[in-house]
Amino acid sequence: MSMGFISVPLVVFMIVVAPLWLILHYRSKRKSGEGLSGEDHQKLETLVARAEVMQERIATLERILDAEAPLWRQK
């Protein structure tokens, strides 16, 4: 009795769930290995440009603080 109770779900799992799971898993792995899409690449370029602008602004603010409050870095 217990053998049939375990074997039916196991067979269903091996025939239906396992192959589907493997197919979806390797499809997602292949898709993630392809790299960035065009839209993602554009977003990344936008973020890089914003980061460069922010870096320039921070450097400017640090120069202003160095001139007006030379000991600000020690606080």
Side-chain angles (χ1 to χ4, degrees):
M1 179 174 155
S2 99
M3 189 63 158
F5 180 71
I6 293 174
S7 64
V8 173
L10 184 60
V11 169
V12 170
F13 178 82
M14 295 299 283
I15 292 175
V16 178
V17 177
L20 185 61
W21 184 9
L22 288 173
I23 290 168
L24 293 174
H25 171 73
Y26 285 110
R27 184 190 306 171
S28 70
K29 286 286 190 187
R30 183 185 50 181
K31 206 173 204 182
S32 68
E34 291 176 357
L36 298 176
S37 68
E39 181 182 341
D40 289 339
H41 188 68
Q42 181 63 34
K43 286 179 183 178
L44 183 61
E45 287 181 3
T46 302
L47 288 173
V48 168
R50 286 182 180 177
E52 289 172 351
V53 169
M54 187 177 286
Q55 186 176 11
E56 292 172 12
R57 292 178 73 182
I58 290 170
T60 302
L61 288 171
E62 287 178 344
R63 282 194 301 273
I64 292 169
L65 282 170
D66 286 338
E68 293 187 8
L71 301 176
W72 72 273
R73 291 181 193 260
Q74 296 173 356
K75 292 183 180 180

